[in-house]
Amino acid sequence: MSADANIESRIAWLPDLLYIGGQFERGLALVCEASGAIIKVAPADQLTDEKRVRLANRAMLPGMINAHSHAFQRVLRGRTEYRSIRAGASPLPNHEVDRDSFWTWREMMYSAATRLTPDDVYDASRMAFLEMALGGITAVGEFHYLHHAPDGVPYDDPNLLAKEVVRAARDVGLRIALLRVAYARSGYQTEVNPRQPRFIERDPALYLKNVEGLKADLDQAGDEAAWVGIAPHSVRAVPLDYLREVTAYANEHQLKIHMHVAEQPAEVSACVEEYGRTPIALLDTEGLLSERFTAVHAIHVTPKAIPSLARTRAIVCACPTTERNLGDGVVPADEYFKQDVAVCLGTDSHAQIDLLEDARELEYHLRLQKLERAVLGGAALLFDCATTNGARSIGAAGGALEVGRPADFFTIALDDPSIAGAAPDNLLASIVFASSRAAVREVVVGGKPIVSEGQHLIQDDVVERFNELQKRLWN
Ligand SMILES: [Zn+2]
């Protein structure tokens, strides 16, 4: 290929404003080569023969990274927003509760999880990922724990369902970290929950064998679109020996480790009962925290826990739209920020999929709790949670518009009613605190458009199939 042909295969994207180095700049072009990598960010008048794509009346921002998702839970949206129990009549074993909570919601979630076929998992995942793409998300960390057939028997391919989720992400065009979940038991001194057999792999050797199989399969594709990570579900679901073994494997193979930590007070008290330590104290004293580790939720933590996370450079993943939906509590992000613990964001249960809403809720929950304003220090830090911190958490190559990173970005229409009138120096605050998802107009992953003019390329098919699934599932 001649040098000229190389230049001609390059694309120069020309928005009105481009978010780089923590601010919006005018008159810059983002140039990527055929592989989808950014090769320069340069003034538009310095371009040569690159193919130009003018993005008029648009601001361009790095694609957001959704660090915590359970894609199949998209089927539950709107189906659990009612009282499921009467006072004094809890249907739950081991939980003396008489009101709706995370634990009653979990039973409803399990009942949906037991009914999904492999095709259903694909259709539900595609719906969740499509909605993410429409909101400017370009990579997702999928915390995947549906492994077996409904009766608990492994499929012929033990990674069948994981591969359906990866296929869904590829078809929508998102990058995906498939964080394969280890789930060994219902909990400490807890009877087996009959709705959990699809999740359980009791033997860590078997779990790791299945991780290896999946990793080999994804590595074979040889792209940066899908990779594997380790996800011990929680201290409740994974006993300590098992946890040590899978963490050692992750460290040896340099894989990311994600774990639910301290989402609910009951989980913390069960851990104290079993180990005499809180979950973070247990992870720290066992040497399991590291910069590879992401603690999902980390809400009910003691003051001592935060320096442990800071010292080990572990990351916290907050999921505020889910946490408010489930009544989990408020992530102490102010303390995490003060002590330099990186916080990333996830849409988790998909009660709503809008990562900018998660970003603003991280701040707003603290305002309500503390009766203060501007607790966390501004829109740029919140946007970092949705981008660079998420990329570090799941090991994605994107998160910023810089040379060498992939051209993963989204655009915002500057005339959208939700942000109209913003000036460049307060545009990011308008976007983070007020933009509607309808303001997202183009989404590009690895230089390839997946959303244009606010419409995804395969949107109609995805929505139609999902409507059919929901009818089957709930009628
Ligand atoms: Zn979760």
Side-chain angles (χ1 to χ4, degrees), residues 307-338:
S308 304
L309 294 166
R311 177 173 36 79
T312 55
R313 296 198 71 231
I315 301 171
V316 165
C317 181
C319 307
T321 53
T322 290
E323 287 151 2
R324 71 180 176 186
N325 184 274
L326 296 180
D328 284 337
V330 175
V331 175
D334 51 337
E335 289 303 320
Y336 289 135
F337 276 40
K338 258 184 228 159

Side-chain angles (χ1 to χ4, degrees), residues 153-276:
V153 175
Y155 292 104
D156 289 345
D157 176 353
N159 286 308
L160 174 68
L161 297 181
K163 288 176 186 171
E164 288 298 303
V165 175
V166 170
R167 185 165 71 93
R170 284 184 185 280
D171 289 352
V172 170
L174 295 192
R175 299 180 196 278
I176 182 169
L178 197 292
L179 307 165
R180 197 181 185 286
V181 170
Y183 206 115
R185 61 177 193 181
S186 295
Y188 174 58
Q189 293 183 341
T190 305
E191 284 168 45
V192 174
N193 186 318
R195 286 169 157 173
Q196 291 175 335
R198 300 194 84 170
F199 322 156
I200 305 270
E201 281 166 338
R202 282 207 171 76
D203 176 8
L206 174 66
Y207 165 77
L208 289 175
K209 183 171 164 253
N210 291 337
V211 167
E212 295 241 309
L214 183 61
K215 185 172 177 307
D217 194 76
L218 299 184
D219 286 353
Q220 206 179 16
D223 56 25
E224 289 183 329
W227 60 100
V228 75
I230 295 283
H233 182 277
S234 54
V235 289
R236 166 167 56 77
V238 182
L240 186 54
D241 283 350
Y242 197 133
L243 185 55
R244 285 191 189 113
E245 195 169 333
V246 302
T247 305
Y249 176 90
N251 287 332
E252 189 187 330
H253 292 86
Q254 305 193 346
L255 303 179
K256 299 293 182 185
I257 307 161
H258 279 224
M259 187 174 189
H260 292 127
V261 179
E263 179 174 9
Q264 282 281 326
E267 172 203 331
V268 177
S269 51
C271 185
V272 170
E273 201 183 327
E274 183 171 11
Y275 300 110

Side-chain angles (χ1 to χ4, degrees), residues 68 70 260 296-297 348:
H68 190 68
H70 308 282
H260 292 127
V296 181
H297 303 298
D348 195 0

Side-chain angles (χ1 to χ4, degrees), residues 1 5-11 31-39 445-448:
M1 191 188 279
N6 259 331
I7 290 175
E8 280 160 19
S9 66
R10 292 174 180 169
I11 300 178
V31 182
C32 72
E33 58 185 1
S35 69
I38 299 170
I39 52 168
V445 178
K448 295 193 175 58

